[in-house]
Amino acid sequence: MSVAATLIEKADLSIEDSNGCNAAKHHLSDPGNHPAEHFKKKMSPLRFKMRQFLTRYTDHQSETLANIQHTLRNPVLDVYFKYSALMGAHTFYIIALPIPIWFGHWELTRDLVYIFGYSIYLSGFLKDYWCLPRPRSPPVERITLSKYTTREYGAPSSHTANATGVSAYFLWRIWVESNFTLTSKALLSIGVMFYYLTLVVGRVYCGMHGLLDLYSGALVGLACFMGRIGFDYLFPTFKASEYNWVPVLSVIVSLFLLYRHIKPVDECPCFEDSVAFIGVVSGLDCSNWLIAKFNLNLVCSFIDFEPKNCLHILARLLVGVLTVIVWKYVISKPLVYFTLVKLVRLKDERKDYHERHEITKLAAECAEHIGVPNIELLGRFIIYAGVPSTVILVCPVIFKALQL
């Protein structure tokens, strides 16, 4: 019997069983909710002990979180937190992160990409390592625009990791690196904290995370922020363009991190985000090295954010965003996979892989980890590495051609 047929049979049986199942059975559709024995036989002793220790903070959280949620809920907040959660989605980052570069603020985007990229990777690694559940629904009600995120493990919260890292970075820039007046610093800090609380509190309000998830996510984000800032303090004179091994090392380290990523017990899609962001980091490294090494005149001119420049700013934003969208959603996939299949001669296992994923979604019980085929990992890595290359190498050329 084929793998697909076996999965279909299991899915059918699971659906039949689920017709009269109780809440405990229903929770098995989410990763991390199986009994301890399910994880013990598939984890190393140390990994299992860590999970067992941490489950004491997740086993009994759902009722408390449900009470908090029901106390706070109202239609306005439902809409606000549901849509503000999009600020933690990778599509939002693809559109938002390039903007500083297009207006002459290269270092801002560079630092944010490193913080976001490694926050996503580290939080995803720990999610798959610990295999801890999200708050159970019911009793918690999940308020989300994407069912994709509900299929991930709980701790650490990647939204919280990202929010912590970027908020710490902006506060550092405001209070340490800027010459703003005290009033301006205070107002900007209030704005940063409002953004931070929106994303973090929203995770609890939307029933997506518990307190352990938030605390661990905050530590991940803080560690990535400190790592980024610490590098500049430890190596203030480092110039990547002086070393030919920089782009090679970036690609090697990136692929090593992805191929050595821990395998989860239950199927969990958060690895896809890790591949995407590590690809972005590597693409940024290579593009930056290329510009500096060959002294390419591809730096976008600075534009003052004044009313008289509104049309100029909007035009550059529109052209830049459209260029990135064309690469990401039109050109990249057929080009990259044609190259990998026809020229590199990699075995194309995408059809079977996606069929298995679609079948597991029908099951009432969360499937065991399937794994990602080599071509899917490399293809996604290259596609997302092409995003910063498009932003840094292609967009400035288009801006100059259009006199933007």
Side-chain angles (χ1 to χ4, degrees), residues 297-353:
N297 184 23
L298 296 175
V299 178
C300 295
S301 60
F302 178 80
I303 301 178
D304 288 322
F305 284 83
E306 298 178 356
K308 64 179 181 180
N309 294 326
C310 281
L311 291 179
H312 192 179
I313 291 169
L314 289 174
R316 189 178 286 189
L317 277 175
L318 180 62
V319 171
V321 171
L322 285 176
T323 303
V324 173
I325 289 175
V326 167
W327 163 257
K328 175 62 179 63
Y329 297 103
V330 179
I331 297 175
S332 64
K333 186 170 286 189
L335 175 62
V336 168
Y337 285 113
F338 174 84
T339 303
L340 292 177
V341 174
K342 300 298 184 181
L343 302 181
V344 183
R345 300 292 182 180
L346 288 182
K347 184 178 180 181
D348 193 352
E349 302 173 307
R350 287 177 294 158
K351 183 177 180 181
D352 181 54
Y353 169 68

Tab-separated table of all heavy atoms in Angstrom, residues 297-353:
chain	number	residue	atom	x	y	z
A	297	ASN	N	27.315	50.990	-7.287
A	297	ASN	CA	26.569	52.187	-6.887
A	297	ASN	C	25.068	51.867	-6.839
A	297	ASN	O	24.299	52.254	-7.715
A	297	ASN	CB	26.845	53.327	-7.870
A	297	ASN	CG	26.182	54.621	-7.442
A	297	ASN	OD1	25.873	54.814	-6.251
A	297	ASN	ND2	25.945	55.500	-8.397
A	298	LEU	N	24.679	51.139	-5.790
A	298	LEU	CA	23.299	50.684	-5.679
A	298	LEU	C	22.647	51.121	-4.370
A	298	LEU	O	21.712	50.491	-3.888
A	298	LEU	CB	23.234	49.151	-5.802
A	298	LEU	CG	23.668	48.573	-7.157
A	298	LEU	CD1	23.670	47.061	-7.107
A	298	LEU	CD2	22.746	49.067	-8.265
A	299	VAL	N	23.151	52.198	-3.808
A	299	VAL	CA	22.571	52.712	-2.559
A	299	VAL	C	21.426	53.656	-2.901
A	299	VAL	O	21.583	54.588	-3.695
A	299	VAL	CB	23.632	53.463	-1.727
A	299	VAL	CG1	22.999	54.035	-0.468
A	299	VAL	CG2	24.780	52.526	-1.375
A	300	CYS	N	20.265	53.381	-2.319
A	300	CYS	CA	19.102	54.240	-2.577
A	300	CYS	C	19.293	55.593	-1.906
A	300	CYS	O	19.766	55.675	-0.766
A	300	CYS	CB	17.832	53.574	-2.050
A	300	CYS	SG	17.408	52.041	-2.899
A	301	SER	N	18.918	56.636	-2.601
A	301	SER	CA	19.081	57.984	-2.065
A	301	SER	C	18.124	58.225	-0.905
A	301	SER	O	17.026	57.674	-0.854
A	301	SER	CB	18.834	59.013	-3.170
A	301	SER	OG	17.525	58.878	-3.682
A	302	PHE	N	18.549	59.063	0.002
A	302	PHE	CA	17.731	59.410	1.171
A	302	PHE	C	16.646	60.407	0.765
A	302	PHE	O	16.885	61.311	-0.025
A	302	PHE	CB	18.621	60.023	2.253
A	302	PHE	CG	17.873	60.461	3.471
A	302	PHE	CD1	17.506	59.542	4.438
A	302	PHE	CD2	17.534	61.795	3.651
A	302	PHE	CE1	16.819	59.940	5.576
A	302	PHE	CE2	16.850	62.205	4.775
A	302	PHE	CZ	16.488	61.271	5.744
A	303	ILE	N	15.447	60.203	1.292
A	303	ILE	CA	14.335	61.128	1.029
A	303	ILE	C	13.757	61.594	2.363
A	303	ILE	O	13.422	60.770	3.217
A	303	ILE	CB	13.210	60.459	0.210
A	303	ILE	CG1	13.736	59.958	-1.130
A	303	ILE	CG2	12.063	61.428	-0.019
A	303	ILE	CD1	12.686	59.246	-1.969
A	304	ASP	N	13.674	62.898	2.541
A	304	ASP	CA	13.046	63.436	3.752
A	304	ASP	C	11.546	63.168	3.714
A	304	ASP	O	10.891	63.365	2.684
A	304	ASP	CB	13.278	64.948	3.854
A	304	ASP	CG	14.719	65.275	4.197
A	304	ASP	OD1	15.305	64.534	5.009
A	304	ASP	OD2	15.248	66.252	3.637
A	305	PHE	N	11.017	62.725	4.846
A	305	PHE	CA	9.583	62.464	4.928
A	305	PHE	C	8.846	63.778	5.195
A	305	PHE	O	8.471	64.102	6.311
A	305	PHE	CB	9.297	61.421	6.016
A	305	PHE	CG	9.650	60.023	5.591
A	305	PHE	CD1	10.958	59.557	5.679
A	305	PHE	CD2	8.680	59.187	5.079
A	305	PHE	CE1	11.284	58.273	5.274
A	305	PHE	CE2	8.996	57.893	4.672
A	305	PHE	CZ	10.302	57.434	4.768
A	306	GLU	N	8.690	64.542	4.127
A	306	GLU	CA	7.997	65.824	4.182
A	306	GLU	C	6.823	65.792	3.205
A	306	GLU	O	6.821	65.024	2.238
A	306	GLU	CB	8.959	66.957	3.816
A	306	GLU	CG	10.143	67.085	4.775
A	306	GLU	CD	11.088	68.191	4.355
A	306	GLU	OE1	10.854	68.789	3.278
A	306	GLU	OE2	12.064	68.458	5.085
A	307	PRO	N	5.806	66.630	3.432
A	307	PRO	CA	4.623	66.631	2.552
A	307	PRO	C	4.959	66.799	1.075
A	307	PRO	O	4.320	66.179	0.216
A	307	PRO	CB	3.812	67.822	3.080
A	307	PRO	CG	4.186	67.916	4.525
A	307	PRO	CD	5.647	67.537	4.588
A	308	LYS	N	5.972	67.617	0.769
A	308	LYS	CA	6.300	67.870	-0.638
A	308	LYS	C	6.855	66.631	-1.337
A	308	LYS	O	6.879	66.561	-2.583
A	308	LYS	CB	7.308	69.015	-0.746
A	308	LYS	CG	8.661	68.707	-0.109
A	308	LYS	CD	9.628	69.874	-0.265
A	308	LYS	CE	10.995	69.544	0.352
A	308	LYS	NZ	11.935	70.673	0.200
A	309	ASN	N	7.320	65.650	-0.549
A	309	ASN	CA	7.909	64.437	-1.128
A	309	ASN	C	6.943	63.252	-1.129
A	309	ASN	O	7.352	62.132	-1.433
A	309	ASN	CB	9.167	64.051	-0.350
A	309	ASN	CG	10.275	65.073	-0.489
A	309	ASN	OD1	10.422	65.689	-1.544
A	309	ASN	ND2	11.056	65.250	0.565
A	310	CYS	N	5.685	63.489	-0.800
A	310	CYS	CA	4.725	62.385	-0.642
A	310	CYS	C	4.603	61.533	-1.906
A	310	CYS	O	4.650	60.302	-1.841
A	310	CYS	CB	3.353	62.925	-0.255
A	310	CYS	SG	3.228	63.363	1.491
A	311	LEU	N	4.449	62.176	-3.062
A	311	LEU	CA	4.284	61.423	-4.298
A	311	LEU	C	5.537	60.618	-4.635
A	311	LEU	O	5.449	59.471	-5.095
A	311	LEU	CB	3.934	62.373	-5.447
A	311	LEU	CG	2.549	63.018	-5.382
A	311	LEU	CD1	2.348	63.961	-6.573
A	311	LEU	CD2	1.458	61.940	-5.385
A	312	HIS	N	6.689	61.229	-4.406
A	312	HIS	CA	7.962	60.547	-4.647
A	312	HIS	C	8.088	59.320	-3.742
A	312	HIS	O	8.477	58.226	-4.183
A	312	HIS	CB	9.117	61.518	-4.394
A	312	HIS	CG	10.432	61.009	-4.891
A	312	HIS	ND1	11.599	61.731	-4.782
A	312	HIS	CD2	10.791	59.843	-5.491
A	312	HIS	CE1	12.591	61.035	-5.287
A	312	HIS	NE2	12.128	59.890	-5.728
A	313	ILE	N	7.738	59.479	-2.485
A	313	ILE	CA	7.810	58.383	-1.515
A	313	ILE	C	6.842	57.265	-1.892
A	313	ILE	O	7.219	56.079	-1.905
A	313	ILE	CB	7.502	58.903	-0.091
A	313	ILE	CG1	8.630	59.819	0.393
A	313	ILE	CG2	7.302	57.748	0.880
A	313	ILE	CD1	8.301	60.584	1.660
A	314	LEU	N	5.616	57.619	-2.210
A	314	LEU	CA	4.611	56.619	-2.559
A	314	LEU	C	4.995	55.865	-3.831
A	314	LEU	O	4.794	54.645	-3.932
A	314	LEU	CB	3.243	57.279	-2.729
A	314	LEU	CG	2.575	57.789	-1.444
A	314	LEU	CD1	1.290	58.543	-1.778
A	314	LEU	CD2	2.278	56.628	-0.494
A	315	ALA	N	5.546	56.590	-4.805
A	315	ALA	CA	5.951	55.949	-6.055
A	315	ALA	C	7.069	54.946	-5.815
A	315	ALA	O	7.044	53.822	-6.351
A	315	ALA	CB	6.401	57.012	-7.065
A	316	ARG	N	8.051	55.321	-5.000
A	316	ARG	CA	9.153	54.405	-4.709
A	316	ARG	C	8.656	53.183	-3.935
A	316	ARG	O	9.074	52.043	-4.198
A	316	ARG	CB	10.255	55.124	-3.935
A	316	ARG	CG	11.516	54.288	-3.792
A	316	ARG	CD	12.621	55.024	-3.068
A	316	ARG	NE	13.250	56.053	-3.887
A	316	ARG	CZ	14.355	56.701	-3.529
A	316	ARG	NH1	14.938	56.438	-2.371
A	316	ARG	NH2	14.862	57.627	-4.316
A	317	LEU	N	7.752	53.413	-2.978
A	317	LEU	CA	7.177	52.298	-2.225
A	317	LEU	C	6.424	51.345	-3.149
A	317	LEU	O	6.587	50.115	-3.065
A	317	LEU	CB	6.220	52.823	-1.145
A	317	LEU	CG	6.824	53.272	0.177
A	317	LEU	CD1	5.738	53.863	1.069
A	317	LEU	CD2	7.493	52.105	0.888
A	318	LEU	N	5.592	51.898	-4.016
A	318	LEU	CA	4.780	51.076	-4.902
A	318	LEU	C	5.654	50.247	-5.833
A	318	LEU	O	5.453	49.031	-5.971
A	318	LEU	CB	3.843	51.968	-5.725
A	318	LEU	CG	2.922	51.253	-6.721
A	318	LEU	CD1	1.983	50.310	-5.981
A	318	LEU	CD2	2.129	52.260	-7.539
A	319	VAL	N	6.635	50.878	-6.447
A	319	VAL	CA	7.517	50.165	-7.368
A	319	VAL	C	8.331	49.106	-6.630
A	319	VAL	O	8.485	47.969	-7.101
A	319	VAL	CB	8.448	51.158	-8.092
A	319	VAL	CG1	9.527	50.419	-8.887
A	319	VAL	CG2	7.646	52.051	-9.015
A	320	GLY	N	8.849	49.452	-5.446
A	320	GLY	CA	9.648	48.503	-4.673
A	320	GLY	C	8.846	47.289	-4.248
A	320	GLY	O	9.287	46.137	-4.422
A	321	VAL	N	7.675	47.522	-3.678
A	321	VAL	CA	6.832	46.413	-3.222
A	321	VAL	C	6.419	45.528	-4.390
A	321	VAL	O	6.447	44.291	-4.288
A	321	VAL	CB	5.600	46.944	-2.462
A	321	VAL	CG1	4.609	45.815	-2.193
A	321	VAL	CG2	6.026	47.584	-1.146
A	322	LEU	N	6.033	46.142	-5.505
A	322	LEU	CA	5.632	45.357	-6.680
A	322	LEU	C	6.790	44.516	-7.207
A	322	LEU	O	6.594	43.361	-7.634
A	322	LEU	CB	5.110	46.281	-7.775
A	322	LEU	CG	3.715	46.865	-7.565
A	322	LEU	CD1	3.359	47.838	-8.684
A	322	LEU	CD2	2.671	45.755	-7.484
A	323	THR	N	7.994	45.064	-7.160
A	323	THR	CA	9.164	44.317	-7.629
A	323	THR	C	9.402	43.084	-6.764
A	323	THR	O	9.673	41.986	-7.276
A	323	THR	CB	10.416	45.218	-7.610
A	323	THR	OG1	10.183	46.375	-8.408
A	323	THR	CG2	11.628	44.472	-8.145
A	324	VAL	N	9.296	43.253	-5.449
A	324	VAL	CA	9.472	42.120	-4.535
A	324	VAL	C	8.370	41.086	-4.744
A	324	VAL	O	8.628	39.878	-4.768
A	324	VAL	CB	9.480	42.603	-3.067
A	324	VAL	CG1	9.477	41.417	-2.107
A	324	VAL	CG2	10.702	43.475	-2.806
A	325	ILE	N	7.141	41.545	-4.915
A	325	ILE	CA	6.010	40.633	-5.126
A	325	ILE	C	6.190	39.841	-6.425
A	325	ILE	O	5.918	38.631	-6.472
A	325	ILE	CB	4.682	41.414	-5.140
A	325	ILE	CG1	4.359	41.909	-3.720
A	325	ILE	CG2	3.541	40.551	-5.668
A	325	ILE	CD1	3.140	42.799	-3.645
A	326	VAL	N	6.659	40.514	-7.470
A	326	VAL	CA	6.877	39.821	-8.745
A	326	VAL	C	7.917	38.716	-8.576
A	326	VAL	O	7.742	37.601	-9.088
A	326	VAL	CB	7.312	40.826	-9.836
A	326	VAL	CG1	7.844	40.091	-11.068
A	326	VAL	CG2	6.141	41.711	-10.222
A	327	TRP	N	9.012	39.003	-7.867
A	327	TRP	CA	10.009	37.954	-7.625
A	327	TRP	C	9.422	36.824	-6.797
A	327	TRP	O	9.515	35.658	-7.169
A	327	TRP	CB	11.245	38.509	-6.922
A	327	TRP	CG	12.070	37.395	-6.320
A	327	TRP	CD1	12.144	37.026	-5.011
A	327	TRP	CD2	12.896	36.461	-7.040
A	327	TRP	NE1	12.958	35.934	-4.857
A	327	TRP	CE2	13.432	35.565	-6.089
A	327	TRP	CE3	13.230	36.297	-8.382
A	327	TRP	CZ2	14.294	34.526	-6.439
A	327	TRP	CZ3	14.083	35.255	-8.737
A	327	TRP	CH2	14.604	34.390	-7.782
A	328	LYS	N	8.805	37.172	-5.673
A	328	LYS	CA	8.362	36.158	-4.723
A	328	LYS	C	7.214	35.308	-5.265
A	328	LYS	O	7.200	34.084	-5.077
A	328	LYS	CB	7.930	36.851	-3.416
A	328	LYS	CG	7.337	35.918	-2.358
A	328	LYS	CD	8.329	34.876	-1.896
A	328	LYS	CE	7.717	33.980	-0.817
A	328	LYS	NZ	6.568	33.190	-1.268
A	329	TYR	N	6.250	35.920	-5.927
A	329	TYR	CA	5.027	35.196	-6.270
A	329	TYR	C	4.856	34.899	-7.759
A	329	TYR	O	3.920	34.202	-8.130
A	329	TYR	CB	3.812	35.965	-5.753
A	329	TYR	CG	3.803	36.094	-4.244
A	329	TYR	CD1	4.159	37.293	-3.630
A	329	TYR	CD2	3.475	35.015	-3.438
A	329	TYR	CE1	4.169	37.410	-2.240
A	329	TYR	CE2	3.491	35.119	-2.055
A	329	TYR	CZ	3.835	36.320	-1.469
A	329	TYR	OH	3.861	36.430	-0.100
A	330	VAL	N	5.753	35.423	-8.614
A	330	VAL	CA	5.612	35.191	-10.053
A	330	VAL	C	6.836	34.480	-10.631
A	330	VAL	O	6.711	33.423	-11.265
A	330	VAL	CB	5.369	36.519	-10.808
A	330	VAL	CG1	5.239	36.252	-12.316
A	330	VAL	CG2	4.121	37.216	-10.279
A	331	ILE	N	8.003	35.037	-10.421
A	331	ILE	CA	9.214	34.551	-11.087
A	331	ILE	C	9.898	33.420	-10.334
A	331	ILE	O	10.311	32.421	-10.929
A	331	ILE	CB	10.212	35.712	-11.283
A	331	ILE	CG1	9.620	36.781	-12.192
A	331	ILE	CG2	11.530	35.200	-11.856
A	331	ILE	CD1	10.502	38.010	-12.336
A	332	SER	N	10.032	33.555	-9.025
A	332	SER	CA	10.971	32.724	-8.264
A	332	SER	C	10.689	31.231	-8.332
A	332	SER	O	11.593	30.424	-8.618
A	332	SER	CB	10.997	33.182	-6.804
A	332	SER	OG	9.736	32.993	-6.189
A	333	LYS	N	9.449	30.829	-8.070
A	333	LYS	CA	9.173	29.387	-7.966
A	333	LYS	C	9.438	28.641	-9.273
A	333	LYS	O	10.181	27.641	-9.272
A	333	LYS	CB	7.743	29.162	-7.488
A	333	LYS	CG	7.430	27.691	-7.226
A	333	LYS	CD	6.095	27.498	-6.537
A	333	LYS	CE	6.173	27.905	-5.088
A	333	LYS	NZ	4.936	27.523	-4.348
A	334	PRO	N	8.866	29.069	-10.412
A	334	PRO	CA	9.183	28.330	-11.649
A	334	PRO	C	10.665	28.374	-12.017
A	334	PRO	O	11.225	27.370	-12.480
A	334	PRO	CB	8.324	29.025	-12.716
A	334	PRO	CG	7.917	30.329	-12.128
A	334	PRO	CD	7.885	30.139	-10.653
A	335	LEU	N	11.323	29.525	-11.787
A	335	LEU	CA	12.737	29.648	-12.139
A	335	LEU	C	13.605	28.758	-11.260
A	335	LEU	O	14.459	28.001	-11.755
A	335	LEU	CB	13.176	31.110	-12.003
A	335	LEU	CG	14.668	31.387	-12.234
A	335	LEU	CD1	15.065	31.028	-13.650
A	335	LEU	CD2	14.992	32.845	-11.922
A	336	VAL	N	13.392	28.819	-9.950
A	336	VAL	CA	14.234	28.069	-9.017
A	336	VAL	C	14.040	26.561	-9.190
A	336	VAL	O	15.014	25.802	-9.273
A	336	VAL	CB	13.932	28.497	-7.560
A	336	VAL	CG1	14.585	27.528	-6.571
A	336	VAL	CG2	14.436	29.918	-7.323
A	337	TYR	N	12.798	26.124	-9.274
A	337	TYR	CA	12.567	24.679	-9.360
A	337	TYR	C	12.931	24.119	-10.739
A	337	TYR	O	13.343	22.955	-10.850
A	337	TYR	CB	11.131	24.347	-8.976
A	337	TYR	CG	10.917	24.439	-7.482
A	337	TYR	CD1	10.101	25.418	-6.938
A	337	TYR	CD2	11.573	23.564	-6.618
A	337	TYR	CE1	9.925	25.514	-5.561
A	337	TYR	CE2	11.401	23.649	-5.244
A	337	TYR	CZ	10.572	24.630	-4.724
A	337	TYR	OH	10.421	24.726	-3.361
A	338	PHE	N	12.797	24.930	-11.784
A	338	PHE	CA	13.285	24.496	-13.098
A	338	PHE	C	14.796	24.258	-13.034
A	338	PHE	O	15.315	23.263	-13.569
A	338	PHE	CB	12.961	25.548	-14.158
A	338	PHE	CG	13.548	25.244	-15.517
A	338	PHE	CD1	12.888	24.402	-16.396
A	338	PHE	CD2	14.774	25.791	-15.895
A	338	PHE	CE1	13.439	24.112	-17.646
A	338	PHE	CE2	15.325	25.498	-17.137
A	338	PHE	CZ	14.657	24.659	-18.009
A	339	THR	N	15.514	25.175	-12.391
A	339	THR	CA	16.964	25.043	-12.269
A	339	THR	C	17.341	23.813	-11.456
A	339	THR	O	18.230	23.037	-11.843
A	339	THR	CB	17.558	26.304	-11.606
A	339	THR	OG1	17.200	27.455	-12.366
A	339	THR	CG2	19.068	26.200	-11.509
A	340	LEU	N	16.675	23.612	-10.336
A	340	LEU	CA	17.021	22.485	-9.464
A	340	LEU	C	16.688	21.138	-10.109
A	340	LEU	O	17.424	20.162	-9.937
A	340	LEU	CB	16.293	22.613	-8.127
A	340	LEU	CG	16.729	23.771	-7.216
A	340	LEU	CD1	15.870	23.808	-5.958
A	340	LEU	CD2	18.202	23.636	-6.838
A	341	VAL	N	15.589	21.091	-10.849
A	341	VAL	CA	15.165	19.814	-11.449
A	341	VAL	C	15.882	19.546	-12.771
A	341	VAL	O	16.425	18.451	-12.981
A	341	VAL	CB	13.630	19.807	-11.667
A	341	VAL	CG1	13.212	18.545	-12.422
A	341	VAL	CG2	12.908	19.867	-10.329
A	342	LYS	N	15.901	20.530	-13.664
A	342	LYS	CA	16.423	20.308	-15.016
A	342	LYS	C	17.941	20.448	-15.109
A	342	LYS	O	18.585	19.724	-15.883
A	342	LYS	CB	15.766	21.289	-15.993
A	342	LYS	CG	14.251	21.168	-16.071
A	342	LYS	CD	13.814	19.793	-16.567
A	342	LYS	CE	12.302	19.725	-16.718
A	342	LYS	NZ	11.851	18.382	-17.174
A	343	LEU	N	18.508	21.374	-14.348
A	343	LEU	CA	19.944	21.621	-14.463
A	343	LEU	C	20.751	20.922	-13.370
A	343	LEU	O	21.762	20.284	-13.652
A	343	LEU	CB	20.218	23.133	-14.435
A	343	LEU	CG	19.513	23.950	-15.541
A	343	LEU	CD1	19.894	25.419	-15.425
A	343	LEU	CD2	19.873	23.408	-16.918
A	344	VAL	N	20.286	21.042	-12.121
A	344	VAL	CA	21.001	20.395	-11.012
A	344	VAL	C	20.641	18.923	-10.917
A	344	VAL	O	21.372	18.132	-10.339
A	344	VAL	CB	20.686	21.121	-9.683
A	344	VAL	CG1	21.471	20.521	-8.524
A	344	VAL	CG2	21.007	22.609	-9.799
A	345	ARG	N	19.493	18.543	-11.501
A	345	ARG	CA	19.040	17.153	-11.542
A	345	ARG	C	18.660	16.601	-10.172
A	345	ARG	O	18.896	15.427	-9.880
A	345	ARG	CB	20.105	16.253	-12.170
A	345	ARG	CG	20.482	16.622	-13.593
A	345	ARG	CD	19.340	16.355	-14.551
A	345	ARG	NE	19.701	16.654	-15.943
A	345	ARG	CZ	18.885	16.504	-16.969
A	345	ARG	NH1	17.654	16.079	-16.757
A	345	ARG	NH2	19.276	16.797	-18.192
A	346	LEU	N	18.063	17.423	-9.348
A	346	LEU	CA	17.549	16.928	-8.071
A	346	LEU	C	16.233	16.179	-8.301
A	346	LEU	O	15.452	16.539	-9.182
A	346	LEU	CB	17.311	18.080	-7.097
A	346	LEU	CG	18.526	18.771	-6.495
A	346	LEU	CD1	18.075	19.847	-5.523
A	346	LEU	CD2	19.442	17.792	-5.790
A	347	LYS	N	16.004	15.167	-7.515
A	347	LYS	CA	14.757	14.407	-7.606
A	347	LYS	C	13.600	15.274	-7.131
A	347	LYS	O	13.643	15.839	-6.048
A	347	LYS	CB	14.851	13.140	-6.752
A	347	LYS	CG	13.631	12.249	-6.863
A	347	LYS	CD	13.789	10.984	-6.022
A	347	LYS	CE	12.553	10.098	-6.135
A	347	LYS	NZ	12.681	8.864	-5.308
A	348	ASP	N	12.559	15.378	-7.946
A	348	ASP	CA	11.421	16.234	-7.624
A	348	ASP	C	10.374	15.429	-6.846
A	348	ASP	O	9.587	14.667	-7.433
A	348	ASP	CB	10.807	16.802	-8.897
A	348	ASP	CG	9.822	17.930	-8.603
A	348	ASP	OD1	9.521	18.149	-7.416
A	348	ASP	OD2	9.363	18.587	-9.560
A	349	GLU	N	10.360	15.609	-5.532
A	349	GLU	CA	9.428	14.891	-4.663
A	349	GLU	C	8.324	15.803	-4.139
A	349	GLU	O	7.613	15.451	-3.200
A	349	GLU	CB	10.189	14.289	-3.467
A	349	GLU	CG	11.299	13.334	-3.857
A	349	GLU	CD	12.125	12.891	-2.663
A	349	GLU	OE1	12.607	13.782	-1.919
A	349	GLU	OE2	12.273	11.673	-2.474
A	350	ARG	N	8.145	16.941	-4.765
A	350	ARG	CA	7.197	17.922	-4.234
A	350	ARG	C	5.756	17.440	-4.291
A	350	ARG	O	4.978	17.663	-3.352
A	350	ARG	CB	7.334	19.246	-5.002
A	350	ARG	CG	8.596	20.029	-4.685
A	350	ARG	CD	8.662	21.259	-5.550
A	350	ARG	NE	8.828	20.903	-6.961
A	350	ARG	CZ	8.512	21.694	-7.974
A	350	ARG	NH1	7.976	22.886	-7.732
A	350	ARG	NH2	8.697	21.310	-9.232
A	351	LYS	N	5.375	16.778	-5.363
A	351	LYS	CA	3.979	16.364	-5.512
A	351	LYS	C	3.572	15.407	-4.402
A	351	LYS	O	2.527	15.587	-3.749
A	351	LYS	CB	3.764	15.710	-6.874
A	351	LYS	CG	2.314	15.329	-7.130
A	351	LYS	CD	2.130	14.740	-8.521
A	351	LYS	CE	0.677	14.356	-8.751
A	351	LYS	NZ	0.464	13.760	-10.110
A	352	ASP	N	4.381	14.390	-4.172
A	352	ASP	CA	4.077	13.418	-3.121
A	352	ASP	C	4.091	14.079	-1.749
A	352	ASP	O	3.234	13.803	-0.901
A	352	ASP	CB	5.082	12.270	-3.158
A	352	ASP	CG	4.803	11.212	-2.103
A	352	ASP	OD1	3.667	10.701	-2.069
A	352	ASP	OD2	5.716	10.923	-1.303
A	353	TYR	N	5.048	14.990	-1.544
A	353	TYR	CA	5.168	15.692	-0.266
A	353	TYR	C	3.918	16.523	0.028
A	353	TYR	O	3.350	16.452	1.122
A	353	TYR	CB	6.412	16.581	-0.308
A	353	TYR	CG	6.545	17.565	0.832
A	353	TYR	CD1	6.791	17.134	2.128
A	353	TYR	CD2	6.445	18.941	0.591
A	353	TYR	CE1	6.921	18.037	3.173
A	353	TYR	CE2	6.579	19.849	1.619
A	353	TYR	CZ	6.820	19.400	2.906
A	353	TYR	OH	6.940	20.302	3.942
